[in-house]
Amino acid sequence: MKKILSLISLVIVSFLLASCAPKNTISNPDLYGVWQVKEIKDVEEKQKEVDAALRVDDYIYISDDDYIIGNDVIKDAKTKYRKVSLKDYLFFNYKIELNDTGGLDADVYSIYEDDSFRYDLIISEDKMMIKLGKYLYTLTKTDKALDEVHMKELVALVDSTEAGASEAIDENIGFLLGLREDKDGASTYKTIYMQPYKGEAYELDYLLVPRRDGFARIECAKIEKDGIYQEDFLVINDHVNTFESLVLYDAQNEKELDRMRKILFVGNDYFSYEIESKLRDNGDIGIYFLDNYSQNNKAALRELIDEGETDNTKTYSMDEFKNSLNDARNLTVVRNNGYWILKQRDYDTKYPGLYKDSYVMKKPNKNLVRFDELYFNYETLKEKFPKLKDAFSAPNKSMVMIYKDKTLAAYSVYRDEIMDEIFSIDLNSKIIMNEWALGQYGDMWKEKFISLGVKKIK
């Protein structure tokens, strides 16, 4: 019996089903019992399931007293319940896209231990889904029974594996932010780089973008064209140009601007901005290439979503594009529930200047957003941090950044639990870029900042 149990990873859950409503508990006998893994989907990268916590045909046990999820033992757990749209919940909380989920509802049971969120159990049409790491597991319920002796053996097994566990701390880990500040009708930009465990933070008064082959710098420039002054951006890659002796414009010839551009997002190979014009094109948005940047070269949706995704976007010639008001190239990237999500703008053909924004239910590809995984339930973070504005998880799961009120704070994470605050800075800006530096890159990025004459803010 023990030999068989040691070959499978188990999830055992105990529910004191407490809701947000005045009722103290929610009873769902259909939840309790033995569930079997039927499908494993890698929802982050298309890789083999070599490091999956569970395998196909493994069992998950759920009782009303004890839980084990992976190698976690959860006793006297509390649960919050809500009814949701399955498609919307998976996308906006986990950025997971599944086919054939449109119109389906789901029961979500969020499991808490000592008031800390641990896992979501999502049940729809007699199937259960649970996300562990980068995998989404789909299970069906079996007719197997779970007796008290069996439960005690499982709890002892997991307790023994937990006893020797340890986690290393990457003290060099770095977090980079691109910020936009809007004041008096104008926007300014800066980049902050911090190493929380070292208690250090540095600031540049422009956007410095990490690339695969170095860094790029984005500066605002006011330019004259046919007697009209406009605002545009200069993108300088440091493997092609130096960052020195950059003349943006002649201040003596500066006049009132016809167009103002506001950066909405920067990431890897792209950046996005919105045009605000006194004469025309008000509200125009687009995502542009950092390499060979041209304001007439917007990226199309088919270039920005994961490979293999079905996309019926029409490919326009440049002439067709210029004459089109409702085009799949009118896109940007925004923050929602701790994720970067594509947003599309559709213009009203009858009333110029009016438009409607909607989310694109497609996952951005790695060229647009390299790492974008939040290892905590965003709604639960809002309960823990009532003034939460945004949150970011480190790729190695060792740290979470919490943007609350006017403060950005770093918290250490141990075994998927948020521990102590280790660092904080004052912040009251719009976050338009974020990147993580792990291992040797933590100090390498700091050296790059220092070489550019940064201001140390902490």
Side-chain angles (χ1 to χ4, degrees), residues 238-281:
D238 66 355
H239 64 284
V240 178
N241 307 89
T242 65
F243 289 167
E244 300 176 358
S245 303
L246 182 64
V247 179
L248 296 181
Y249 63 96
D250 186 347
Q252 293 181 351
N253 291 328
E254 183 180 1
K255 299 179 181 179
E256 186 176 1
L257 296 177
D258 163 51
R259 297 182 181 183
M260 301 289 291
R261 286 166 169 77
K262 180 188 297 183
I263 296 180
L264 307 176
F265 165 80
V266 183
N268 297 341
D269 296 335
Y270 300 90
F271 77 116
S272 173
Y273 63 76
E274 179 177 16
I275 296 176
E276 295 179 351
S277 173
K278 294 181 179 179
L279 303 179
R280 58 189 181 279
D281 297 334

Side-chain angles (χ1 to χ4, degrees), residues 160-217:
S160 66
T161 60
E162 282 281 284
S166 62
E167 296 185 13
I169 296 177
D170 178 7
E171 295 186 352
N172 292 326
I173 188 170
F175 186 61
L176 181 144
L177 281 175
L179 304 172
R180 189 190 76 233
E181 295 183 353
D182 302 320
K183 186 177 181 181
D184 299 329
S187 299
T188 58
Y189 305 91
K190 62 183 178 181
T191 310
I192 291 178
Y193 180 67
M194 63 190 74
Q195 289 184 289
Y197 280 112
K198 295 184 176 182
E200 299 177 357
Y202 303 87
E203 179 182 298
L204 290 170
D205 60 357
Y206 51 82
L207 292 173
L208 187 68
V209 188
R211 307 292 306 280
R212 291 179 177 84
D213 50 1
F215 289 83
R217 173 174 175 169

Side-chain angles (χ1 to χ4, degrees), residues 119-393:
Y119 305 98
D120 273 343
L121 296 181
I122 306 168
I123 299 179
S124 179
E125 292 194 329
D126 300 324
K127 293 183 179 180
M128 176 190 291
M129 296 178 182
I130 181 171
K131 185 174 184 292
L132 299 176
K134 66 179 182 178
Y135 297 100
L136 180 71
Y137 300 89
T138 301
L139 306 95
T140 58
K141 197 172 184 181
T142 74
D143 57 0
K144 296 180 181 294
L146 179 65
D147 57 57
E148 184 177 354
V149 174
H150 192 182
M151 176 69 75
K152 288 182 179 179
E153 289 181 345
L154 295 175
V155 171
L157 173 65
V158 175
D159 281 341
S160 66
T161 60
E162 282 281 284
S166 62
E167 296 185 13
I169 296 177
D170 178 7
E171 295 186 352
N172 292 326
I173 188 170
F175 186 61
L176 181 144
L177 281 175
L179 304 172
R180 189 190 76 233
E181 295 183 353
D182 302 320
K183 186 177 181 181
D184 299 329
S187 299
T188 58
Y189 305 91
K190 62 183 178 181
T191 310
I192 291 178
Y193 180 67
M194 63 190 74
Q195 289 184 289
Y197 280 112
K198 295 184 176 182
E200 299 177 357
Y202 303 87
E203 179 182 298
L204 290 170
D205 60 357
Y206 51 82
L207 292 173
L208 187 68
V209 188
R211 307 292 306 280
R212 291 179 177 84
D213 50 1
F215 289 83
R217 173 174 175 169
I218 301 178
E219 292 256 19
C220 293
K222 296 178 176 65
I223 60 176
E224 181 182 2
K225 185 177 181 180
D226 299 328
I228 298 177
Y229 279 77
Q230 299 181 3
E231 184 180 72
D232 206 343
F233 299 106
L234 296 177
V235 180
I236 309 100
N237 289 293
D238 66 355
H239 64 284
V240 178
N241 307 89
T242 65
F243 289 167
E244 300 176 358
S245 303
L246 182 64
V247 179
L248 296 181
Y249 63 96
D250 186 347
Q252 293 181 351
N253 291 328
E254 183 180 1
K255 299 179 181 179
E256 186 176 1
L257 296 177
D258 163 51
R259 297 182 181 183
M260 301 289 291
R261 286 166 169 77
K262 180 188 297 183
I263 296 180
L264 307 176
F265 165 80
V266 183
N268 297 341
D269 296 335
Y270 300 90
F271 77 116
S272 173
Y273 63 76
E274 179 177 16
I275 296 176
E276 295 179 351
S277 173
K278 294 181 179 179
L279 303 179
R280 58 189 181 279
D281 297 334
N282 196 31
D284 179 60
I285 61 173
I287 298 176
Y288 302 85
F289 301 94
L290 279 174
D291 294 323
N292 303 316
Y293 160 64
S294 167
Q295 59 184 269
N296 294 321
N297 192 16
K298 289 184 179 181
L301 178 62
R302 58 183 169 77
E303 300 169 293
L304 303 172
I305 60 176
D306 269 349
E307 293 181 4
E309 291 292 342
T310 301
D311 177 41
N312 297 320
T313 303
K314 177 182 177 183
T315 300
Y316 291 91
S317 69
M318 187 52 65
D319 289 339
E320 287 176 321
F321 169 68
K322 288 179 179 178
N323 295 324
S324 175
L325 292 175
N326 186 0
D327 196 307
R329 296 175 187 257
N330 296 322
L331 302 162
T332 188
V333 186
V334 296
R335 294 291 294 177
N336 183 288
N337 278 21
Y339 289 105
W340 291 109
I341 294 179
L342 285 161
K343 186 170 72 173
Q344 180 173 336
R345 178 160 294 178
D346 294 322
Y347 297 97
D348 193 318
T349 57
K350 295 182 179 180
Y351 302 97
L354 296 181
Y355 53 82
K356 179 181 179 181
D357 290 340
S358 60
Y359 289 112
V360 178
M361 303 294 277
K362 298 289 183 183
K363 188 176 179 180
N365 64 28
K366 296 295 182 181
N367 293 326
L368 189 61
V369 180
R370 181 176 301 128
F371 174 82
D372 191 30
E373 180 69 14
L374 184 61
Y375 290 107
F376 298 92
N377 182 285
Y378 195 77
E379 294 300 319
T380 304
L381 289 178
K382 288 198 293 187
E383 294 178 7
K384 185 178 181 66
F385 305 101
K387 296 184 178 181
L388 181 71
K389 292 183 179 180
D390 211 338
F392 307 84
S393 292

